[in-house]
Amino acid sequence: MKTQVAIIGGGPAGLLLSQLLNRSGISTVVLERKSRDYVLSRIRAGVLEWGTVEMLREAGAGDRMNRDGIVHDGCLFSSSERMVRVDFKESCGRQVMVYGQTEVTRDLYDAQDAIGATVLHDVSDVVLNDLDSDAPYVTYTVDGVAQRLECDYVAGCDGFHGVSRPSIPADVRQEYEKVYPFGWLGVLSNTPPAAEELIYANHPRGFALASMRNATLSRYYIQVDLADKVEDWSDDAFWAELKRRLPPSVAETMVTGPSIEKSIAPLRSFVSEPMRWGRLFLCGDAAHIVPPTGAKGLNLAASDVHYLVAAMKKAYLGGDLSGLETYSADALSRVWQAMRFSWSMTTMLHRFPDQNAFEQRMQDSELAYLETSEARRLVLAENYTGLPF
Ligand code: FAS
Ligand code: PHB
């Protein structure tokens, strides 16, 4: 089999890339390790930057989002002393869309079906070959049969544990990492959201986040120790701890109910450079990971796709390879800004095990500054809603 761009991974990055390339007349084949149902069972991100919203609309995958997504003008930050609202629209004229990654992935699969794109599931033994030649190819197994896919380029969209990043020689890769000494216990419940907008809570007992998917589906997180297991947390224990950390006015009125999903995610900041080696281009979690505090993971996947689609169109439609040459630097420039923002939000809002009284005061003063400074709110708003591409 032959295609122009072989895409490894059928998550948001791979599917969005496939959709936008095919709509530009560039052929792709997506190789996904898991089944479609498995991919669609994942509960992950919940907030879309407006740039991501516009890309989904451009991809022809925005109709359900336009109908069911919730446009938010701002979000709230709380501590024991205060509740601060950051009005994105007032500060920087931009908004975000609350719409779950699960739905984004579903919409992308539907859009791929509508154009007859090739997405192969339950693929194993993927190996990327001759990436440093002008004739790369991918070998893989599907239905027990070994296959070979000839291509011009390979897009590694296979996430943090994929095969693409390790296909770049270790002596070429420069990796940067910070692992945080806590995790997030997340719960999804068929209950109305605790508030109209997201609440990021900094509490002496630890961080909490009140988010949502729609008017009857809520998503909550609390910071937990790395040693915690999901089975350590009954629903009652989770709700009691969440209420301790949210503002009393919110905790008193919020509706609780059985968890329909409960999981613990570790937090790390990670970047692997370069994002291109020979004919391989990395996109999304394959190249970088952010702590979810800044709601950047999914949006950075879209950001990389934005740059790679532009570069591929320039190459295929204009015979100009300059975009491919600068892809890694272009994508990384925006990745590092999102990395910085996600790190700063995580540092400002979480309780670190070795945190001393001075560091506690620094967090308090950060929130006090956010409350009193329009300039500080603008900085948060422009980063949270997404810096320009
Ligand atoms: P993905 O990991 O989504 O997709 C990669 C795909 O490649 C997967 O479908 C995988 O099965 C496939 N694959 C892997 N190896 C392969 C191989 N060898 N061959 C073929 N296919 C292979 N982000 C936020 O913004 N907010 C959040 O709240 C948030 N919560 C998260 C919770 C968890 C538990 C995790 C893991 C991530 C979370 N994220 C969150 C980040 C997440 O949304 C990612 O940023 C997003 O999924 C990135 O999309 P992709 O780059 O497509 O990677
Ligand atoms: C979510 O709704 O899952 C969510 C929202 C904002 C974040 C992280 C997760 O920063």
Side-chain angles (χ1 to χ4, degrees):
M1 183 161 44
K2 178 157 176 48
T3 192
Q4 289 174 305
V5 182
I7 298 175
I8 318 300
L15 294 171
L16 182 57
L17 178 64
S18 172
Q19 186 67 9
L20 288 169
L21 288 179
N22 278 280
R23 284 171 68 97
S24 303
I26 299 166
S27 67
T28 68
V29 170
V30 177
L31 302 177
E32 165 55 50
R33 179 171 61 179
K34 298 292 188 180
S35 70
R36 180 180 288 206
D37 287 348
Y38 184 95
V39 175
L40 289 172
S41 69
R42 292 182 185 130
I43 306 293
R44 289 190 177 166
V47 172
L48 306 182
E49 295 175 0
W50 212 254
T52 305
V53 168
E54 288 171 343
M55 286 178 73
L56 289 168
R57 289 171 173 164
E58 182 193 338
D63 290 350
R64 239 170 29 109
M65 175 188 68
N66 294 337
R67 191 190 68 214
D68 299 343
I70 312 169
V71 178
H72 278 203
D73 288 352
C75 71
L76 298 155
F77 292 86
S78 71
S79 69
S80 315
E81 286 76 40
R82 58 181 48 83
M83 178 102 105
V84 181
R85 180 170 186 269
V86 177
D87 188 324
F88 311 137
K89 201 169 179 186
E90 181 185 278
S91 290
C92 67
R94 292 200 293 265
Q95 301 161 299
V96 295
M97 176 80 82
V98 170
Y99 190 66
Q101 175 173 328
T102 310
E103 305 319 312
V104 169
T105 310
R106 190 186 312 282
D107 295 340
L108 286 168
Y109 268 127
D110 292 346
Q112 287 270 274
D113 292 346
I115 63 170
T118 306
V119 182
L120 305 180
H121 286 279
D122 300 310
V123 167
S124 57
D125 312 321
V126 170
V127 177
L128 313 185
N129 305 276
D130 293 355
L131 293 171
D132 52 351
S133 77
D134 58 7
Y137 64 96
V138 181
T139 50
Y140 60 95
T141 303
V142 69
D143 297 332
V145 178
Q147 304 285 347
R148 178 179 168 122
L149 175 62
E150 313 284 344
C151 55
D152 299 332
Y153 300 104
V154 180
C157 303
D158 46 352
F160 187 65
H161 302 291
V163 296
S164 296
R165 185 176 68 252
S167 298
I168 299 177
D171 61 355
V172 171
R173 277 182 278 131
Q174 171 72 50
E175 299 189 347
Y176 305 83
E177 184 169 50
K178 176 179 180 60
V179 178
Y180 297 91
F182 38 73
W184 277 21
L185 168 60
V187 159
L188 194 66
S189 60
N190 284 314
T191 55
E196 293 212 340
E197 294 178 326
L198 273 64
I199 303 174
Y200 289 85
N202 170 314
H203 189 277
R205 295 176 64 92
F207 169 81
L209 170 60
S211 183
M212 63 196 76
R213 292 292 177 268
N214 57 49
T216 59
L217 190 61
S218 295
R219 180 70 170 164
Y220 295 105
Y221 298 92
I222 58 172
Q223 170 188 344
V224 293
D225 293 342
L226 279 178
D228 280 17
K229 305 265 180 296
V230 173
E231 50 271 22
D232 298 339
W233 285 90
S234 67
D235 284 4
D236 289 347
F238 174 83
W239 292 121
E241 189 57 37
L242 177 70
K243 287 184 174 183
R244 290 188 193 101
R245 300 184 188 182
L246 291 176
S249 59
V250 173
E252 283 154 15
T253 56
M254 68 181 287
V255 177
T256 63
S259 60
I260 57 174
E261 193 272 349
K262 193 190 292 183
S263 55
I264 293 180
L267 272 66
R268 81 174 72 234
S269 297
F270 174 85
V271 180
S272 180
E273 295 184 352
M275 288 177 58
R276 181 253 174 121
W277 186 69
R279 294 298 180 101
L280 171 63
F281 296 82
L282 301 183
C283 284
D285 279 16
H288 41 71
I289 296 286
V290 282
T293 327
K296 290 297 163 214
L298 172 58
N299 293 296
L300 269 187
S303 178
D304 296 343
V305 168
H306 165 85
Y307 291 108
L308 190 53
V309 167
M312 289 284 178
K313 286 168 71 174
K314 218 170 169 180
Y316 279 110
L317 309 182
D320 175 354
L321 301 183
S322 63
L324 295 176
E325 296 304 320
T326 61
Y327 165 73
S328 182
D330 295 343
L332 281 167
S333 168
R334 196 165 183 277
V335 163
W336 278 112
Q337 289 303 321
M339 208 50 66
R340 172 194 49 75
F341 175 67
S342 302
W343 163 78
S344 70
M345 283 273 278
T346 304
T347 305
M348 177 173 80
L349 293 168
H350 289 76
R351 278 291 174 283
F352 287 72
D354 57 352
Q355 184 167 319
N356 63 26
F358 174 79
E359 287 154 331
Q360 169 64 51
R361 281 303 177 102
M362 288 298 97
Q363 289 186 345
D364 296 342
S365 60
E366 270 288 347
L367 286 166
Y369 184 32
L370 192 65
E371 186 172 39
T372 56
S373 164
E374 191 179 319
R376 181 65 185 84
R377 288 193 297 277
L378 168 58
V379 167
L380 192 140
E382 71 169 9
N383 280 277
Y384 192 91
T385 57
L387 296 175
F389 287 132

